[in-house]
Amino acid sequence: MAQRYVRVQNQEGQIYYGLLQLSLNVQVLDAPPWLQGQPTDLILEPDNYHILAPCAPSKIVAVGKNYADHAAEMGTPVPSEPLIFLKPPTSIIASETEIKYPILSQRVDYEGELALIVGDRTSDCTPEEAQTKIWGYTIANDVTARDLQKKDGQWTRAKGFDTFCPLGPWIVRELNPGARLQTFLNEDTNPVQSTCIDKMVFAPDFLVSYISQVMTLLPGDVILTGTPEGVGCLQLGDRVRVEIEGIGRLENTVAAR
């Protein structure tokens, strides 16, 4: 099993980065791992921590319509270049916490996605250089108030509500380029989304390079790489699970705000 890098909070409220062991103990690091954090002698046992979102980025840069089948289901062409937007860091929540359904929306959708973690300050890099800037991978759910997205024309409000970016549960360093992404609702064994991540229109290294031409990416920043076909609405009480082979599963329930 790949090493799993986590961010946790102990019972006293202290936040640490660490390595999740098979025993579920966490070996604490002395800094975020992308800042060369090294293992310490501090070990947290399972009853003395809970898992947070795996990073605290300065920004979340997301990519729209990066799978041709999703662009088609939205009734739009595939963009000729990456369509990027921002989600606020305050939208991030951990696995096993609640997505809060805002009273301003009547239609909230799930969007299962692969997320990239930037490991180094990055500006104006080439796609070849970008490969060295991607520190690791995790799972995201780009929750979207679809009715507000259509109403507003631009996406800030629809994508920016608190709890609209479940992220985690941990970060892995390497991922099979053809890993399968699947999204499940409740107890249904048939996924509502299922694709291989190599079906992206714009690959991860190209995305990092493209975004870096616009804005400087900082260590720990997050890039959401787009969602495949099969997006759909969430109801109060639903449980949504996004799985990516080689990473794990991100699970959240939906509750009233």
Short mmCIF file of all heavy atoms in Angstrom, two decimals, residues 67 112-116 137-140 175 181 197 200 204 223-226 244 247:
data_model
loop_
_atom_site.label_atom_id
_atom_site.label_comp_id
_atom_site.label_asym_id
_atom_site.label_seq_id
_atom_site.Cartn_x
_atom_site.Cartn_y
_atom_site.Cartn_z
N TYR A 67 -13.56 16.62 -19.08
CA TYR A 67 -13.85 15.31 -19.69
C TYR A 67 -14.87 15.57 -20.79
O TYR A 67 -15.89 16.25 -20.55
CB TYR A 67 -14.42 14.33 -18.67
CG TYR A 67 -13.43 13.85 -17.64
CD1 TYR A 67 -13.17 14.58 -16.48
CD2 TYR A 67 -12.76 12.63 -17.80
CE1 TYR A 67 -12.27 14.14 -15.52
CE2 TYR A 67 -11.87 12.17 -16.84
CZ TYR A 67 -11.63 12.93 -15.70
OH TYR A 67 -10.74 12.48 -14.75
N GLY A 112 -17.40 14.18 -8.54
CA GLY A 112 -16.20 13.49 -8.09
C GLY A 112 -15.00 13.83 -8.96
O GLY A 112 -15.11 13.84 -10.20
N GLU A 113 -13.84 14.09 -8.34
CA GLU A 113 -12.68 14.55 -9.09
C GLU A 113 -11.37 14.07 -8.46
O GLU A 113 -11.29 13.85 -7.26
CB GLU A 113 -12.64 16.08 -9.17
CG GLU A 113 -13.95 16.69 -9.63
CD GLU A 113 -13.83 18.09 -10.17
OE1 GLU A 113 -12.69 18.59 -10.27
OE2 GLU A 113 -14.88 18.68 -10.49
N LEU A 114 -10.34 13.99 -9.30
CA LEU A 114 -8.98 13.84 -8.83
C LEU A 114 -8.44 15.22 -8.48
O LEU A 114 -8.62 16.17 -9.23
CB LEU A 114 -8.11 13.22 -9.93
CG LEU A 114 -6.60 13.20 -9.67
CD1 LEU A 114 -6.26 12.23 -8.54
CD2 LEU A 114 -5.83 12.86 -10.94
N ALA A 115 -7.76 15.32 -7.33
CA ALA A 115 -7.14 16.58 -6.92
C ALA A 115 -5.63 16.42 -6.89
O ALA A 115 -5.10 15.39 -6.46
CB ALA A 115 -7.65 17.00 -5.54
N LEU A 116 -4.93 17.45 -7.35
CA LEU A 116 -3.47 17.50 -7.33
C LEU A 116 -3.03 18.38 -6.17
O LEU A 116 -3.63 19.42 -5.91
CB LEU A 116 -2.93 18.08 -8.63
CG LEU A 116 -3.51 17.59 -9.95
CD1 LEU A 116 -2.89 18.35 -11.12
CD2 LEU A 116 -3.30 16.09 -10.10
N TYR A 137 -1.47 13.33 -4.74
CA TYR A 137 -2.82 13.20 -5.27
C TYR A 137 -3.80 12.88 -4.15
O TYR A 137 -3.49 12.10 -3.23
CB TYR A 137 -2.89 12.08 -6.31
CG TYR A 137 -1.88 12.23 -7.41
CD1 TYR A 137 -0.59 11.69 -7.27
CD2 TYR A 137 -2.18 12.92 -8.58
CE1 TYR A 137 0.36 11.83 -8.28
CE2 TYR A 137 -1.23 13.06 -9.59
CZ TYR A 137 0.04 12.51 -9.43
OH TYR A 137 0.98 12.65 -10.41
N THR A 138 -4.99 13.45 -4.23
CA THR A 138 -6.05 13.08 -3.31
C THR A 138 -7.38 13.13 -4.05
O THR A 138 -7.41 13.26 -5.28
CB THR A 138 -6.04 13.98 -2.04
OG1 THR A 138 -6.93 13.43 -1.06
CG2 THR A 138 -6.42 15.41 -2.35
N ILE A 139 -8.48 13.00 -3.33
CA ILE A 139 -9.82 12.94 -3.92
C ILE A 139 -10.59 14.19 -3.52
O ILE A 139 -10.46 14.68 -2.40
CB ILE A 139 -10.57 11.68 -3.43
CG1 ILE A 139 -9.74 10.42 -3.70
CG2 ILE A 139 -11.93 11.56 -4.13
CD1 ILE A 139 -10.30 9.17 -3.03
N ALA A 140 -11.40 14.70 -4.45
CA ALA A 140 -12.23 15.86 -4.16
C ALA A 140 -13.65 15.64 -4.66
O ALA A 140 -13.90 14.80 -5.54
CB ALA A 140 -11.64 17.12 -4.80
N LEU A 175 0.37 7.73 -8.56
CA LEU A 175 -0.94 7.25 -8.99
C LEU A 175 -0.82 6.68 -10.40
O LEU A 175 -0.13 7.25 -11.25
CB LEU A 175 -1.93 8.42 -8.99
CG LEU A 175 -3.41 8.06 -9.14
CD1 LEU A 175 -3.89 7.23 -7.96
CD2 LEU A 175 -4.24 9.33 -9.27
N LEU A 181 -11.86 6.39 -11.50
CA LEU A 181 -12.60 7.26 -10.59
C LEU A 181 -14.06 6.84 -10.63
O LEU A 181 -14.64 6.70 -11.71
CB LEU A 181 -12.45 8.72 -11.03
CG LEU A 181 -13.12 9.83 -10.21
CD1 LEU A 181 -12.43 11.17 -10.49
CD2 LEU A 181 -14.61 9.99 -10.50
N ILE A 197 -8.98 8.20 -15.22
CA ILE A 197 -8.53 9.59 -15.20
C ILE A 197 -7.71 9.97 -16.43
O ILE A 197 -7.54 11.16 -16.71
CB ILE A 197 -7.75 9.90 -13.91
CG1 ILE A 197 -6.53 8.99 -13.77
CG2 ILE A 197 -8.66 9.78 -12.70
CD1 ILE A 197 -5.64 9.35 -12.59
N MET A 200 -9.09 12.51 -19.26
CA MET A 200 -9.12 13.97 -19.20
C MET A 200 -8.75 14.57 -20.55
O MET A 200 -7.89 14.04 -21.26
CB MET A 200 -8.11 14.49 -18.16
CG MET A 200 -8.44 14.22 -16.73
SD MET A 200 -7.12 14.91 -15.69
CE MET A 200 -7.48 14.04 -14.16
N PRO A 204 -2.84 16.34 -16.13
CA PRO A 204 -2.41 17.09 -14.95
C PRO A 204 -1.20 17.99 -15.17
O PRO A 204 -1.20 19.15 -14.73
CB PRO A 204 -2.11 15.98 -13.94
CG PRO A 204 -3.10 14.91 -14.27
CD PRO A 204 -3.16 14.93 -15.78
N ILE A 223 -5.34 21.65 -6.95
CA ILE A 223 -5.94 21.78 -8.28
C ILE A 223 -6.94 20.64 -8.46
O ILE A 223 -6.59 19.47 -8.34
CB ILE A 223 -4.86 21.73 -9.38
CG1 ILE A 223 -3.91 22.92 -9.24
CG2 ILE A 223 -5.51 21.71 -10.76
CD1 ILE A 223 -2.73 22.88 -10.19
N LEU A 224 -8.19 21.01 -8.74
CA LEU A 224 -9.22 20.03 -9.05
C LEU A 224 -9.26 19.86 -10.57
O LEU A 224 -9.39 20.84 -11.30
CB LEU A 224 -10.58 20.49 -8.54
CG LEU A 224 -10.68 20.91 -7.07
CD1 LEU A 224 -12.15 21.18 -6.70
CD2 LEU A 224 -10.08 19.88 -6.15
N THR A 225 -9.18 18.62 -11.04
CA THR A 225 -8.90 18.37 -12.46
C THR A 225 -10.14 18.13 -13.30
O THR A 225 -10.02 17.81 -14.49
CB THR A 225 -7.97 17.15 -12.58
OG1 THR A 225 -8.60 16.01 -11.98
CG2 THR A 225 -6.63 17.41 -11.91
N GLY A 226 -11.34 18.31 -12.75
CA GLY A 226 -12.55 18.15 -13.54
C GLY A 226 -13.28 16.86 -13.23
O GLY A 226 -12.72 15.91 -12.70
N ILE A 244 -11.10 6.62 -5.86
CA ILE A 244 -10.10 6.58 -6.91
C ILE A 244 -9.12 5.46 -6.59
O ILE A 244 -8.56 5.42 -5.48
CB ILE A 244 -9.35 7.92 -7.06
CG1 ILE A 244 -10.32 9.04 -7.46
CG2 ILE A 244 -8.24 7.79 -8.11
CD1 ILE A 244 -9.67 10.40 -7.60
N ILE A 247 -5.88 5.49 -4.23
CA ILE A 247 -5.96 6.50 -3.18
C ILE A 247 -6.88 6.01 -2.06
O ILE A 247 -6.44 5.82 -0.93
CB ILE A 247 -6.46 7.86 -3.71
CG1 ILE A 247 -5.56 8.37 -4.84
CG2 ILE A 247 -6.48 8.89 -2.56
CD1 ILE A 247 -6.02 9.68 -5.46
#
